Amino acid sequence: MSIHLVGETIDAKQAHLRAQAGDLIQLVRGVYVTNDADVDRTILAHAVRIAHYLYPNAYLSSASAYLLAPTEDGRLFISGRRNQRTRLRNLEIIQNETPKHPSTASAVIGDDLGELHMQVSSPRQRFLEAFRLRSEHASTITGDMRRQMAERLVEEHDSPKAAADAVWALARENGWYREGEGAERFLLTQPSTTKYPTNKAALNLLIAWHGEPLGQLTHDGFEWRWKPQKSRGPVLVRETTPGKLPAFVESLLPEGWLAQILHDRDEREALRRGRRYMSNITIVESRAELAELPVDVLTTPLSAFTDAGRFTGQYAGPARGEIEETFEQNLARVFSNAETPRLSGVQIKAPMSLSVDGALVPAIDQPFTHILKPAGTAGFETLPIVEWLCLELGRIAGFEVPDAALIEMPDDMPPALLVERFDIRRGIDDKRRLALEDFCSILDLPASAKYDGTIERMARGLRPLSTDPTSDLEILFRRAVFAWLIADGDMHLKNLAILKIAGPGAKTFTSVRFAPLYDAVTTRVFPGLAIDRMALKLNGKDDRLRKADFLTLARTIGLAAGGAESCSKALATTLSKHGAEVELPEFAAQSKAASSARDKVVGLVHERSIGLIT
């Protein structure tokens, strides 16, 4: 038996003991799978049973009432007392509020635990649900499903008119008048052959992942629609709110400086003007365009051209130029090309490609393998220096950290930071599929809400997705401690992510783990940020954190208090003892501003580490 439900197949005490021993993996409260099971496959195979266990008073509705199973993209639709959604790895249980007078019938669903009797929307009700306005439940019912539902009703009631009358009777009971009108029109009329003018502002875009199409993203001039197509791989893009851009796609779009220099007025224009994005995503208008774009594969590791933190290759990217032109203007020219990969985040950065001979060039028609982060202005000239230091501190603290190096820039520009991508294939023989999903996307929040979350809320979103939730919750806890120790006031929801990996030919993700450390910066050393607070609250606080706050956090997210205390103390001790050993590359240390920034970072980390140890 690969799945266990507390109170049905196992008692609570036995489940807890077996989970502690590592025999079982907890998905959510009361639901466990064995550690040797294919977790994603097991969840989908028992999706209806899990939903019935979690929401015993709900019933299957919409497409799930028709299929008696989840949709192909892993969504299971139910109706109950309130609107809510629960995500378990590759399964999303989406519940909407039931009407006042629901019409349901009993259905039998079988899985390897036996047969399950569950209420489902009746044929009349599920047909009305197909015509609900701005409803995710309605949008998942395909045209073929509607036609077959209509045929079933006409067969039951002998004529389209009688079927429409029967549907209208239920519509009136529940006040679903618009739905009744739509259902009646569908039953009584044939599709029109008249050709109507089309909206030339409409978009029809193809989204592909590693070159394989995932589905069509359309905009009719009013709202977005996502239509996934049958894919051999795992589900990556989900439409969570009908009419809105899927959260995963929104998380890919440019922000801040890049959005300004691209002059993107809205999401439509941004997606129309760009083709290549992070997470190996391409968004094009036709399938033929996919073959024209370079594949992002790492063939030259940064470590081959790094010496003591200094990049030893040849920089061939944007420069200030011989005339009075700024680096930003020069960099903007790179992004004017549609083939230049788009990046999210407000910090200025550029997609680069590192060739086998050590040449670092803009990734316009080359694989996008590295990210260049130049110095800022108005007091932020040492930003690359500080980020390099923080990544090195993260390495000392035991986090997984991508390779990074500082670059001597031309035209007397301050050093820039070069970071290697960790979300791409490593070599031409690597057949894995990788995607990076930040916590704005995971929690279905817009980028503008990236500072609105909490560490506790992140944990609730992380647990059901991770393939090793215990380890990842510990990493989340350690990342929160680390952010406090280095005074990182910019560890928001877009600077934290999970890395999803699907093995060759896998239909589900084989690994969903907390992503390596990136965009870590001591913000308190910059002008105007001397009293900068944590970006995300924990235990209701974003400043003046104490050991007790972190222990409360640990208990809240399900970590043992003793282990959490030892973990935080060990992290602080390591940084206190070894943080001062991090030295800047020789060329960077010659700058008084860089050396001063380094000393401020080290001093602040030492001070906070001692405060957490004692």
Side-chain angles (χ1 to χ4, degrees), residues 1-5 9-10 18 23-27 31-46 50 111-113:
M1 187 181 300
S2 57
I3 190 167
H4 289 283
L5 307 176
T9 64
I10 193 172
R18 290 185 61 183
D23 295 335
L24 296 180
I25 299 171
Q26 184 182 26
L27 299 177
V31 182
Y32 296 81
V33 294
T34 56
N35 65 355
D36 59 347
D38 183 331
V39 181
D40 292 323
R41 189 183 299 274
T42 300
I43 291 172
L44 287 180
H46 300 86
I50 292 171
D111 56 26
D112 61 13
L113 292 184

Short mmCIF file of all heavy atoms in Angstrom, two decimals, residues 1-5 9-10 18 23-27 31-46 50 111-113:
data_model
loop_
_atom_site.label_atom_id
_atom_site.label_comp_id
_atom_site.label_asym_id
_atom_site.label_seq_id
_atom_site.Cartn_x
_atom_site.Cartn_y
_atom_site.Cartn_z
N MET A 1 0.85 -1.19 0.00
CA MET A 1 0.00 0.00 0.00
C MET A 1 0.89 1.24 0.00
O MET A 1 1.70 1.43 0.89
CB MET A 1 -0.91 -0.01 1.24
CG MET A 1 -1.95 1.08 1.25
SD MET A 1 -2.96 1.04 2.75
CE MET A 1 -3.69 -0.59 2.64
N SER A 2 0.75 2.08 -1.04
CA SER A 2 1.66 3.21 -1.20
C SER A 2 1.16 4.48 -0.53
O SER A 2 1.92 5.45 -0.40
CB SER A 2 1.91 3.47 -2.68
OG SER A 2 0.69 3.70 -3.35
N ILE A 3 -0.12 4.54 -0.15
CA ILE A 3 -0.68 5.73 0.47
C ILE A 3 -1.42 5.35 1.74
O ILE A 3 -2.00 4.25 1.83
CB ILE A 3 -1.64 6.47 -0.51
CG1 ILE A 3 -2.03 7.83 0.06
CG2 ILE A 3 -2.86 5.63 -0.85
CD1 ILE A 3 -2.70 8.74 -0.94
N HIS A 4 -1.37 6.24 2.74
CA HIS A 4 -2.05 5.99 4.01
C HIS A 4 -2.83 7.24 4.42
O HIS A 4 -2.33 8.36 4.30
CB HIS A 4 -1.05 5.64 5.11
CG HIS A 4 -0.43 4.28 4.94
ND1 HIS A 4 -1.10 3.12 5.26
CD2 HIS A 4 0.79 3.91 4.47
CE1 HIS A 4 -0.33 2.07 5.01
NE2 HIS A 4 0.83 2.53 4.52
N LEU A 5 -4.05 7.03 4.91
CA LEU A 5 -4.89 8.09 5.42
C LEU A 5 -5.17 7.80 6.89
O LEU A 5 -5.68 6.72 7.22
CB LEU A 5 -6.21 8.17 4.63
CG LEU A 5 -6.08 8.26 3.11
CD1 LEU A 5 -7.45 8.22 2.46
CD2 LEU A 5 -5.34 9.53 2.72
N THR A 9 -6.58 3.96 6.95
CA THR A 9 -5.65 2.86 6.68
C THR A 9 -4.56 2.75 7.74
O THR A 9 -3.78 1.81 7.72
CB THR A 9 -4.99 3.04 5.30
OG1 THR A 9 -4.20 4.22 5.31
CG2 THR A 9 -6.05 3.14 4.21
N ILE A 10 -4.49 3.75 8.62
CA ILE A 10 -3.44 3.76 9.64
C ILE A 10 -3.88 4.67 10.77
O ILE A 10 -4.65 5.61 10.55
CB ILE A 10 -2.10 4.27 9.02
CG1 ILE A 10 -0.91 3.99 9.94
CG2 ILE A 10 -2.19 5.74 8.67
CD1 ILE A 10 0.44 4.30 9.27
N ARG A 18 6.16 6.15 12.10
CA ARG A 18 6.74 5.71 10.82
C ARG A 18 7.29 6.91 10.03
O ARG A 18 8.27 6.76 9.31
CB ARG A 18 5.70 4.95 10.01
CG ARG A 18 5.34 3.58 10.59
CD ARG A 18 4.39 2.82 9.68
NE ARG A 18 4.99 2.56 8.37
CZ ARG A 18 4.34 1.95 7.38
NH1 ARG A 18 3.08 1.54 7.57
NH2 ARG A 18 4.93 1.75 6.22
N ASP A 23 9.94 5.96 7.14
CA ASP A 23 9.19 5.01 6.30
C ASP A 23 8.09 5.70 5.52
O ASP A 23 7.71 5.25 4.44
CB ASP A 23 8.57 3.90 7.16
CG ASP A 23 9.63 3.02 7.81
OD1 ASP A 23 10.75 2.96 7.26
OD2 ASP A 23 9.35 2.42 8.86
N LEU A 24 7.54 6.79 6.10
CA LEU A 24 6.43 7.51 5.46
C LEU A 24 6.82 8.97 5.24
O LEU A 24 7.61 9.54 5.99
CB LEU A 24 5.17 7.44 6.32
CG LEU A 24 4.53 6.07 6.56
CD1 LEU A 24 3.29 6.21 7.43
CD2 LEU A 24 4.17 5.39 5.24
N ILE A 25 6.23 9.57 4.22
CA ILE A 25 6.41 10.99 3.94
C ILE A 25 5.05 11.66 4.10
O ILE A 25 4.06 11.25 3.49
CB ILE A 25 6.92 11.22 2.51
CG1 ILE A 25 8.28 10.55 2.31
CG2 ILE A 25 7.00 12.72 2.19
CD1 ILE A 25 8.74 10.55 0.87
N GLN A 26 4.98 12.70 4.95
CA GLN A 26 3.71 13.39 5.14
C GLN A 26 3.51 14.41 4.04
O GLN A 26 4.37 15.24 3.76
CB GLN A 26 3.68 14.10 6.50
CG GLN A 26 2.35 14.76 6.81
CD GLN A 26 2.35 15.50 8.13
OE1 GLN A 26 3.40 15.93 8.60
NE2 GLN A 26 1.19 15.63 8.74
N LEU A 27 2.34 14.34 3.38
CA LEU A 27 2.00 15.31 2.35
C LEU A 27 1.27 16.49 2.96
O LEU A 27 1.65 17.64 2.77
CB LEU A 27 1.12 14.66 1.28
CG LEU A 27 1.75 13.49 0.52
CD1 LEU A 27 0.76 12.89 -0.45
CD2 LEU A 27 3.00 13.95 -0.22
N VAL A 31 -2.34 12.71 5.64
CA VAL A 31 -2.10 12.01 4.36
C VAL A 31 -0.61 11.71 4.25
O VAL A 31 0.22 12.62 4.28
CB VAL A 31 -2.58 12.84 3.16
CG1 VAL A 31 -2.35 12.08 1.87
CG2 VAL A 31 -4.05 13.21 3.32
N TYR A 32 -0.28 10.44 4.08
CA TYR A 32 1.11 10.00 3.99
C TYR A 32 1.30 9.08 2.79
O TYR A 32 0.36 8.40 2.35
CB TYR A 32 1.52 9.21 5.25
CG TYR A 32 1.50 10.00 6.53
CD1 TYR A 32 0.31 10.22 7.21
CD2 TYR A 32 2.67 10.51 7.08
CE1 TYR A 32 0.27 10.94 8.41
CE2 TYR A 32 2.65 11.23 8.27
CZ TYR A 32 1.46 11.43 8.93
OH TYR A 32 1.43 12.13 10.11
N VAL A 33 2.53 9.04 2.26
CA VAL A 33 2.90 8.06 1.25
C VAL A 33 4.16 7.36 1.72
O VAL A 33 4.94 7.90 2.52
CB VAL A 33 3.14 8.71 -0.13
CG1 VAL A 33 1.86 9.29 -0.69
CG2 VAL A 33 4.23 9.77 -0.06
N THR A 34 4.36 6.13 1.24
CA THR A 34 5.56 5.40 1.61
C THR A 34 6.77 6.01 0.91
O THR A 34 6.66 6.56 -0.19
CB THR A 34 5.43 3.92 1.22
OG1 THR A 34 5.15 3.83 -0.17
CG2 THR A 34 4.29 3.27 2.00
N ASN A 35 7.93 5.91 1.55
CA ASN A 35 9.11 6.59 1.03
C ASN A 35 9.65 5.95 -0.24
O ASN A 35 10.47 6.54 -0.94
CB ASN A 35 10.21 6.65 2.08
CG ASN A 35 10.73 5.26 2.47
OD1 ASN A 35 10.21 4.25 2.03
ND2 ASN A 35 11.74 5.23 3.32
N ASP A 36 9.20 4.73 -0.57
CA ASP A 36 9.67 4.08 -1.79
C ASP A 36 8.68 4.22 -2.94
O ASP A 36 8.87 3.63 -4.01
CB ASP A 36 9.94 2.59 -1.52
CG ASP A 36 8.70 1.85 -1.03
OD1 ASP A 36 7.71 2.52 -0.67
OD2 ASP A 36 8.73 0.60 -0.99
N ALA A 37 7.62 5.01 -2.74
CA ALA A 37 6.59 5.15 -3.77
C ALA A 37 6.95 6.25 -4.75
O ALA A 37 7.73 7.17 -4.44
CB ALA A 37 5.24 5.47 -3.12
N ASP A 38 6.40 6.18 -5.96
CA ASP A 38 6.45 7.27 -6.91
C ASP A 38 5.39 8.27 -6.43
O ASP A 38 4.20 8.11 -6.69
CB ASP A 38 6.13 6.78 -8.32
CG ASP A 38 6.23 7.87 -9.37
OD1 ASP A 38 6.02 9.05 -9.02
OD2 ASP A 38 6.50 7.56 -10.54
N VAL A 39 5.84 9.30 -5.69
CA VAL A 39 4.91 10.15 -4.96
C VAL A 39 3.92 10.85 -5.90
O VAL A 39 2.71 10.85 -5.65
CB VAL A 39 5.67 11.20 -4.12
CG1 VAL A 39 4.69 12.07 -3.35
CG2 VAL A 39 6.62 10.50 -3.15
N ASP A 40 4.41 11.43 -6.98
CA ASP A 40 3.53 12.16 -7.89
C ASP A 40 2.48 11.24 -8.51
O ASP A 40 1.31 11.58 -8.60
CB ASP A 40 4.34 12.84 -8.99
CG ASP A 40 5.19 13.98 -8.45
OD1 ASP A 40 4.71 14.66 -7.53
OD2 ASP A 40 6.31 14.18 -8.92
N ARG A 41 2.91 10.07 -8.93
CA ARG A 41 1.98 9.12 -9.54
C ARG A 41 0.96 8.64 -8.51
O ARG A 41 -0.23 8.48 -8.81
CB ARG A 41 2.75 7.93 -10.12
CG ARG A 41 1.89 7.00 -10.97
CD ARG A 41 2.73 5.81 -11.43
NE ARG A 41 3.85 6.23 -12.23
CZ ARG A 41 3.78 6.43 -13.55
NH1 ARG A 41 2.64 6.28 -14.18
NH2 ARG A 41 4.86 6.81 -14.22
N THR A 42 1.43 8.41 -7.28
CA THR A 42 0.52 7.95 -6.22
C THR A 42 -0.53 9.00 -5.90
O THR A 42 -1.71 8.68 -5.71
CB THR A 42 1.34 7.61 -4.95
OG1 THR A 42 2.28 6.58 -5.25
CG2 THR A 42 0.43 7.16 -3.82
N ILE A 43 -0.12 10.27 -5.84
CA ILE A 43 -1.07 11.35 -5.54
C ILE A 43 -2.16 11.42 -6.61
O ILE A 43 -3.35 11.48 -6.29
CB ILE A 43 -0.34 12.69 -5.42
CG1 ILE A 43 0.54 12.71 -4.17
CG2 ILE A 43 -1.32 13.85 -5.38
CD1 ILE A 43 1.44 13.93 -4.07
N LEU A 44 -1.76 11.40 -7.87
CA LEU A 44 -2.75 11.49 -8.94
C LEU A 44 -3.66 10.27 -8.98
O LEU A 44 -4.85 10.38 -9.25
CB LEU A 44 -2.04 11.66 -10.29
CG LEU A 44 -1.42 13.02 -10.57
CD1 LEU A 44 -0.75 13.04 -11.93
CD2 LEU A 44 -2.47 14.12 -10.49
N ALA A 45 -3.09 9.10 -8.71
CA ALA A 45 -3.90 7.87 -8.74
C ALA A 45 -4.95 7.85 -7.64
O ALA A 45 -5.97 7.17 -7.76
CB ALA A 45 -2.99 6.65 -8.63
N HIS A 46 -4.72 8.60 -6.55
CA HIS A 46 -5.66 8.61 -5.43
C HIS A 46 -6.22 10.01 -5.19
O HIS A 46 -6.63 10.34 -4.09
CB HIS A 46 -4.95 8.12 -4.14
CG HIS A 46 -4.42 6.72 -4.24
ND1 HIS A 46 -3.18 6.46 -4.77
CD2 HIS A 46 -4.96 5.52 -3.91
CE1 HIS A 46 -2.96 5.15 -4.74
NE2 HIS A 46 -4.02 4.56 -4.24
N ILE A 50 -8.13 11.37 -1.85
CA ILE A 50 -7.50 12.39 -1.00
C ILE A 50 -8.43 13.57 -0.81
O ILE A 50 -8.60 14.09 0.30
CB ILE A 50 -6.16 12.84 -1.62
CG1 ILE A 50 -5.14 11.70 -1.57
CG2 ILE A 50 -5.62 14.07 -0.90
CD1 ILE A 50 -3.86 11.99 -2.33
N ASP A 111 -9.78 2.88 -7.04
CA ASP A 111 -8.32 2.98 -7.08
C ASP A 111 -7.77 1.73 -6.42
O ASP A 111 -8.53 0.79 -6.14
CB ASP A 111 -7.82 4.27 -6.42
CG ASP A 111 -8.30 4.43 -4.97
OD1 ASP A 111 -8.59 3.40 -4.32
OD2 ASP A 111 -8.40 5.57 -4.50
N ASP A 112 -6.48 1.67 -6.16
CA ASP A 112 -5.93 0.42 -5.63
C ASP A 112 -6.27 0.19 -4.16
O ASP A 112 -5.91 -0.84 -3.60
CB ASP A 112 -4.41 0.35 -5.86
CG ASP A 112 -3.65 1.47 -5.18
OD1 ASP A 112 -4.23 2.18 -4.35
OD2 ASP A 112 -2.46 1.66 -5.52
N LEU A 113 -6.99 1.15 -3.53
CA LEU A 113 -7.50 0.93 -2.18
C LEU A 113 -8.93 0.41 -2.20
O LEU A 113 -9.52 0.19 -1.15
CB LEU A 113 -7.44 2.24 -1.37
CG LEU A 113 -6.04 2.78 -1.03
CD1 LEU A 113 -6.16 4.01 -0.14
CD2 LEU A 113 -5.19 1.72 -0.34
#
